[in-house]
Amino acid sequence: MIIKIVSSLIVLLCIQNVLASPHSVLYHDFSVVRFTTQNEQELIILQDFVREISQMNKELIENWSEWRIGHVDVMVSKTIMHLAIDLGLEYSIYIENVQDLIDDQWSKNLGASEDDFFSKYHSYEEIITWLKQMQSEHSDIAQFITIGKSLEGRDISGLVITGNNGNSSTKPAIVYNGGIHAREWISPATLTYIINYLLTNYHNDTATKYLVDNIEWTLVVVLNPDGYVYTWEHDRVWRKNRRKGTFCDGVDNNRNWDFHWASGFNECAESYPGSSGFSEPEETSMANYIKSKKGQVHGYIDFHSYSQLWMWPWGWSSDKPKDQNDLTKLGTSIKAAIAHVHQKEYTIGNIYSTIYPAYGSSVDWTYGVAGVKYSYAVELRDTGKHGFVLPPEEIIPQGQEIIPAVILMANQIIKEFGN
């Protein structure tokens, strides 16, 4: 009897070890706290606290959401929770135990069906294999491309999708990228969902065929492959690329675009912008690709998570862009279209006023330098319940609600810039 009990315990422990995440960095003693920031002064108090703690020990604290008046989510070690509470800011515990959330996501991913690509998240290698397979199955309208290499030598790849009805270089182009921030797994997953929608509906849906025939689509699924791989193997909530630093590693690829780039001296900060604009090969490859299109690109989306936001320039300034009315009009239509699918509400607006000043960002560069009129930064699901560790069962509904936005934006671009 004792032998049977011991054997059962061993089997149970083995199952738990298989289902637990394989990461070397664990977060059992961390919670995500949502601080209410009612004004600029309270926001600065929280910023200073996070900066001071991270400079002493980066492993004790990390901001999860963008800095903004309203609320900010911060992952805090329980060993310093009392210091965070002593700030005197209104707060609530949004995620009690971060590691429990990570383990739950990992176990669901392992248990997901292998028959449906969108029932689970996929590693970088699996995504590249899938892209090549999709290109092979739809070779009449899809081309596999590599636009550059990461710091560690990984390919930055995607698909170009367009009908063979003429010279694609004369069509208006749309460029999407995902995975610029490594921990935002729903971003690459959503890009693959869009790719699948365009390719599999081309021959049986006239509306999709119209969009593919009249636009050259480029979708780069994982712009920061080194960071993405790192989130699978070592640290699930890693954000930056894998640039080696003196005190802390990594550069924020979405603060490194060389347009109103602002220097930062704290390389341990999650938004550390690097030593200079375009010091990092990942987003530089994307910028070079867009420049190579020589004015052909009229739509761009940089997909992120989380918070459910649909934003446009500027991030560096409170000034409104010259196309403010058109960006707002399309954004308003997109907001309504997304809400119609699963009743998810997105907040829309300029980056500067919707969240907080952001220098050296992707959409400011695409709009301000490359002249891409419809440049958007999108924060996908959710609003904080799971944060970056969104369960895999959210992949399909997230994809379903983003498709109407894709369609609206594409039709607007054809209307304005089509041949």
Side-chain angles (χ1 to χ4, degrees):
M1 184 66 177
I2 294 175
I3 294 174
K4 287 184 178 179
I5 293 173
V6 172
S7 298
S8 297
L9 287 172
I10 291 172
V11 170
L12 181 60
L13 285 171
C14 288
I15 292 172
Q16 288 176 334
N17 286 335
V18 168
L19 295 179
S21 76
H23 302 96
S24 57
V25 180
L26 302 177
Y27 292 95
H28 290 292
D29 295 323
F30 286 80
S31 299
V32 174
V33 183
R34 173 160 292 183
F35 292 95
T36 299
T37 49
Q38 299 181 2
N39 51 52
E40 186 84 14
Q41 182 180 1
E42 291 189 346
L43 187 62
I44 292 172
I45 288 171
L46 183 59
Q47 283 180 313
D48 289 344
F49 173 73
V50 172
R51 186 182 302 113
E52 289 169 8
I53 296 295
S54 65
Q55 286 176 341
M56 289 187 293
N57 188 340
K58 172 65 175 67
E59 297 178 359
L60 293 177
I61 198 164
E62 186 174 294
N63 61 298
W64 270 34
S65 66
E66 299 290 348
W67 299 110
R68 59 170 167 168
I69 296 172
H71 66 260
V72 179
D73 295 346
V74 182
M75 185 176 69
V76 182
S77 168
K78 293 175 183 177
T79 62
I80 61 163
M81 186 67 74
H82 63 288
L83 298 176
I85 293 172
D86 286 346
L87 292 173
L89 302 177
E90 183 181 333
Y91 74 94
S92 59
I93 306 296
Y94 247 58
I95 299 172
E96 183 65 40
N97 188 310
V98 173
Q99 190 61 44
D100 284 350
L101 210 61
I102 293 171
D103 289 344
D104 183 61
Q105 184 192 58
W106 191 262
S107 64
K108 287 180 176 179
N109 219 52
L110 287 177
S113 170
E114 294 293 336
D115 298 329
D116 185 355
F117 187 81
F118 302 104
S119 67
K120 62 188 294 187
Y121 293 103
H122 294 274
S123 68
Y124 166 77
E125 292 79 9
E126 290 171 340
I127 290 171
I128 296 299
T129 299
W130 181 83
L131 288 172
K132 290 179 178 179
Q133 177 185 336
M134 292 298 284
Q135 187 279 324
S136 177
E137 293 175 1
H138 303 275
S139 58
D140 56 331
I141 57 171
Q143 176 189 359
F144 181 86
I145 61 166
T146 297
I147 65 170
K149 287 190 177 293
S150 68
L151 273 169
E152 295 178 351
R154 292 182 176 87
D155 288 340
I156 302 170
S157 300
L159 292 184
V160 173
I161 300 171
T162 194
N164 55 9
N165 57 329
N167 186 355
S168 66
S169 65
T170 64
K171 300 177 184 179
I174 289 175
V175 176
Y176 294 161
N177 64 246
I180 196 170
H181 289 150
R183 61 192 176 189
E184 300 166 6
W185 285 9
I186 192 62
S187 166
T190 301
L191 266 288
T192 59
Y193 192 94
I194 297 169
I195 287 171
N196 183 74
Y197 180 88
L198 294 174
L199 294 180
T200 59
N201 285 289
Y202 179 74
H203 289 293
N204 54 36
D205 179 66
T206 55
T208 304
K209 187 178 189 303
Y210 173 77
L211 298 181
V212 172
D213 282 344
N214 288 280
I215 286 177
E216 182 193 78
W217 302 77
T218 300
L219 301 98
V220 176
V221 178
V222 185
L223 191 58
N224 174 15
D226 299 344
Y228 187 72
V229 169
Y230 196 75
T231 64
W232 278 76
E233 297 178 354
H234 298 287
D235 184 347
R236 174 60 187 86
V237 296
W238 183 262
R239 169 183 166 105
K240 300 182 283 186
N241 74 356
R242 293 299 301 156
R243 169 74 67 183
K244 298 303 177 185
T246 304
F247 301 102
C248 294
D249 295 337
V251 169
D252 183 347
N253 291 115
N254 199 35
R255 297 293 183 273
N256 192 241
W257 296 70
D258 196 15
F259 180 73
H260 290 279
W261 175 85
S263 61
F265 299 102
N266 179 15
E267 66 180 18
C268 296
E270 289 299 296
S271 57
Y272 176 59
S275 58
S276 61
F278 285 149
S279 63
E280 308 309 300
E282 293 87 10
E283 83 287 341
T284 303
S285 297
M286 175 54 75
N288 289 337
Y289 178 79
I290 292 172
K291 285 192 293 186
S292 74
K293 294 297 180 180
K294 298 178 179 177
Q296 183 187 356
V297 182
H298 298 289
Y300 171 82
I301 298 179
D302 184 5
F303 284 96
H304 293 261
S305 75
Y306 60 97
S307 288
Q308 295 173 199
L309 307 172
W310 194 282
M311 301 177 292
W312 54 88
W314 301 107
W316 72 273
S317 171
S318 60
D319 293 343
K320 299 298 186 283
K322 62 182 177 65
D323 297 300
Q324 173 73 7
N325 289 342
D326 288 348
L327 286 162
T328 304
K329 183 178 179 181
L330 181 57
T332 302
S333 297
I334 285 171
K335 173 186 169 74
I338 291 174
H340 183 72
V341 180
H342 294 299
Q343 293 71 57
K344 295 296 182 183
E345 291 294 330
Y346 278 60
T347 299
I348 65 171
N350 304 90
I351 295 170
Y352 189 101
S353 57
T354 304
I355 48 174
Y356 202 67
Y359 299 92
S361 70
S362 58
V363 294
D364 278 4
W365 185 91
T366 56
Y367 185 82
V369 176
V372 181
K373 177 178 177 178
Y374 292 104
S375 291
Y376 291 107
V378 177
E379 299 280 355
L380 299 168
R381 292 187 178 195
D382 58 6
T383 55
K385 181 180 179 181
H386 299 95
F388 303 116
V389 197
L390 200 66
E393 60 264 29
E394 299 267 9
I395 295 171
I396 291 174
Q398 173 67 87
Q400 290 170 338
E401 69 194 16
I402 214 67
I403 291 301
V406 168
I407 292 170
L408 276 171
M409 182 171 170
N411 277 315
Q412 182 63 34
I413 286 171
I414 293 170
K415 179 182 177 181
E416 284 190 45
F417 303 104
N419 297 325

